[in-house]
Amino acid sequence: MRIGIDVGMTNTDAVLISGATVVEAVKTTTTPDVTSGIAAAIGELRRRPSFDPGAVAGVAVATPCFSLALAEARRLARTAVIRLCLPATAAAPPLIGWPGRLVRAIGGHSYLCRGGHEFDGRVISVPDPDELRRVAADLAAKRIRSVAISSVFSPGHAEFEVLAADILTSEMEGLHVSLSHEIGRTGLLERENATVVNACLRDIAERFCLDLSTALRQNGLDAALYLSRNDGTVMDVDSARSYPAAALYPRAANSLNGAACLSGLDTCTVVDAGGTTTAVGTLHRGVPREAGGGAVVAGVRTDLRVPDVRTMEDLDSVIDRIRTRSAPDPVVLVGGGSPLIGDRLGVAARVHRPEHFAVAGAVGAAIAHVGGEVDRVFAVEPGDREAVRSAASQEAIDRTVAAGADPGTVRVVEVEEFPIAGLPGNAVRVRVRAVGDLDGGTGCGC
């Protein structure tokens, strides 16, 4: 069995799931510190007669605490940006376009250094170890303990970021390093921004994961702990400490996945009516439709992927705009406010309000898969297209297994190709997503 927890602005929902069946569901008040509200929700589950702590294999939590910290510009780590690029890309400096209050909150320190590649692997320049050691000395003098390192075209050529991290950490014990090839995708500025966002959240992630682990132990749970990701998959608590940017906006995807599981529909439009907002999103073959561009996080443009979910006033018009085919999709109504929406919608083929609709987000957390993704630019020679797709797919599968998935359950759910004009050598951006059940037999069956 697994526990799924969905922390909202008003309520914290928790469910106990066995396979794809909701065994227990509770709703408690969200607390300012978040973790005590989570502990209270688990405590409510413990009081149910069907609850057996020893039978719980995993606990998955979706929390808004990282996005709220950015929105409020509070408790963020002082962070420096190191871009490996010279003599190229100096015209657009790091943190360009960031809101002033966020720049002030993290300190606004940036360094342009030698390094970087062209998309096909040609070296722009080789990093200078002495230059990086001087940067480390300046960081130490300024007492900066978190850095974001980005290098030109690092998603396909990460070695310079790794080298820079090794030099900096050898000079500064306890330095937190976020590498852009592990955080973002192809575009330099958006990937760099996502990496800075990740770096400034590292301290908050450490504290939150520690408090959450303590809350589980105090409730007698010796279960694996996971945090929900933006795309509706989960990551273990150690990954969450290192990659909090992947958990900025997990609730939308969880709501979509929970609605699909509860209704039995893998292609549908989902309307999630909460206490303060109503959001609309779609799934196709069990995969939430993604937004066309990356997420804008507290006014910062990033390449972090999030579902295409829209808030609404006129429900029919939003559903009509968001659907992806001419025939109307079935609509699944979830969320505590969904009873206020009628059972008939003009643009829907059918309207469903499944059992446990009020806790769909928590269900989505509990039933989530592990995911892996590849997104980078390849030079595709004539006749090599299928080989490139196959290599990218295998890499996505390998990343999914490395993230904790049962190898026998991993499957590729999405492959996209985007020819890139302006680059030589038949440059093609290839993006592959794979998912699988958590290793250890805790798959949900949805």
Side-chain angles (χ1 to χ4, degrees):
M1 290 196 291
R2 289 164 68 179
I3 292 174
I5 299 173
D6 177 42
V7 181
M9 300 303 294
T10 304
N11 295 314
T12 295
D13 301 335
V15 296
L16 180 66
I17 295 283
S18 178
T21 302
V22 178
V23 178
E24 298 287 356
V26 300
K27 190 179 289 282
T28 61
T29 301
T30 297
T31 56
D33 67 344
V34 176
T35 51
S36 62
I38 292 172
I42 296 174
E44 285 294 318
L45 285 178
R46 281 181 58 86
R47 283 187 276 273
R48 301 298 174 92
S50 58
F51 186 87
D52 177 8
V56 177
V59 178
V61 178
T63 174
C65 67
F66 301 138
S67 58
L68 287 176
L70 287 165
E72 297 169 354
R74 293 192 306 112
R75 300 179 291 123
L76 304 176
R78 297 180 69 241
T79 300
V81 194
I82 301 171
R83 183 191 296 173
L84 308 178
C85 63
L86 295 179
T89 72
L95 306 178
I96 188 171
W98 278 55
R101 60 190 182 83
L102 270 181
V103 174
R104 292 189 293 272
I106 67 173
H109 304 285
S110 64
Y111 304 85
L112 299 181
C113 300
R114 292 178 56 82
H117 291 81
E118 302 290 354
F119 85 98
D120 57 2
R122 288 175 294 147
V123 173
I124 294 174
S125 64
V126 177
D128 180 351
D130 290 335
E131 180 182 39
L132 291 169
R133 292 188 185 101
R134 291 193 294 272
V135 170
D138 195 50
L139 294 174
K142 294 174 179 174
R143 298 183 179 181
I144 296 172
R145 309 303 302 174
S146 188
V147 299
I149 301 176
S150 66
S151 181
V152 180
F153 279 112
S154 65
H157 312 282
E159 57 268 29
F160 287 170
E161 289 188 358
V162 175
L163 172 63
D166 288 343
I167 293 172
L168 292 171
T169 53
S170 68
E171 296 290 316
M172 298 181 66
E173 184 177 356
L175 181 69
H176 282 169
V177 177
S178 295
L179 303 179
S180 78
H181 74 274
E182 298 177 341
I183 308 295
R185 294 170 174 80
T186 303
L188 175 63
L189 290 179
E190 290 82 2
R191 169 166 45 89
E192 184 176 77
N193 286 345
T195 309
V196 178
V197 165
N198 191 81
C200 73
L201 290 169
R202 289 284 296 271
D203 289 349
I204 295 174
E206 288 276 359
R207 289 193 296 270
F208 178 74
C209 290
L210 177 60
D211 291 346
L212 201 54
S213 299
T214 300
L216 262 61
R217 289 195 302 271
Q218 290 175 344
N219 275 279
L221 290 173
D222 184 20
L225 177 59
Y226 304 94
L227 260 64
S228 296
R229 292 163 51 100
N230 303 327
D231 63 359
T233 61
V234 291
M235 57 183 167
D236 63 35
V237 70
D238 289 333
S239 297
R241 291 187 178 100
S242 298
Y243 306 112
L248 280 169
Y249 303 112
R251 301 186 65 224
N254 279 352
S255 176
L256 294 172
N257 290 334
C261 184
L262 292 171
S263 67
L265 300 170
D266 68 353
T267 298
C268 59
T269 296
V270 177
V271 178
D272 184 355
T276 56
T277 61
T278 297
V280 182
T282 62
L283 293 105
H284 181 66
R285 296 181 180 176
V287 178
R289 174 186 173 183
E290 285 191 346
V296 178
V297 179
V300 176
R301 184 167 294 281
T302 75
D303 63 0
L304 296 170
R305 291 293 187 181
V306 294
D308 184 9
V309 173
R310 309 181 191 188
T311 56
M312 47 66 63
E313 294 179 358
D314 181 354
L315 184 56
D316 275 347
S317 65
V318 172
I319 293 175
D320 193 42
R321 288 198 304 271
I322 204 170
R323 68 186 186 188
T324 58
R325 55 183 183 174
S326 58
D329 285 331
V331 171
V332 182
L333 303 179
V334 297
S338 65
L340 300 177
I341 300 173
D343 289 331
R344 299 186 64 182
L345 294 170
V347 296
R350 301 184 308 278
V351 176
H352 302 257
R353 186 179 289 107
E355 187 178 8
H356 303 297
F357 62 84
V359 291
V363 172
I367 58 117
H369 295 94
V370 181
E373 183 176 316
V374 171
D375 187 343
R376 68 170 185 262
V377 176
F378 293 84
V380 182
E381 299 297 331
D384 287 350
R385 177 173 175 269
E386 288 304 318
V388 167
R389 286 169 62 99
S390 177
S393 296
Q394 187 58 53
E395 185 176 345
I397 290 170
D398 292 342
R399 290 186 179 187
T400 305
V401 173
D406 178 350
T409 68
V410 177
R411 66 189 188 278
V412 172
V413 296
E414 191 172 12
V415 180
E416 295 180 305
E417 298 179 22
F418 309 94
I420 300 179
L423 292 180
N426 295 321
V428 178
R429 177 185 173 193
V430 179
R431 177 171 174 265
V432 182
R433 291 180 63 202
V435 298
D437 293 341
L438 284 166
D439 202 2
T442 58
C444 69
C446 285

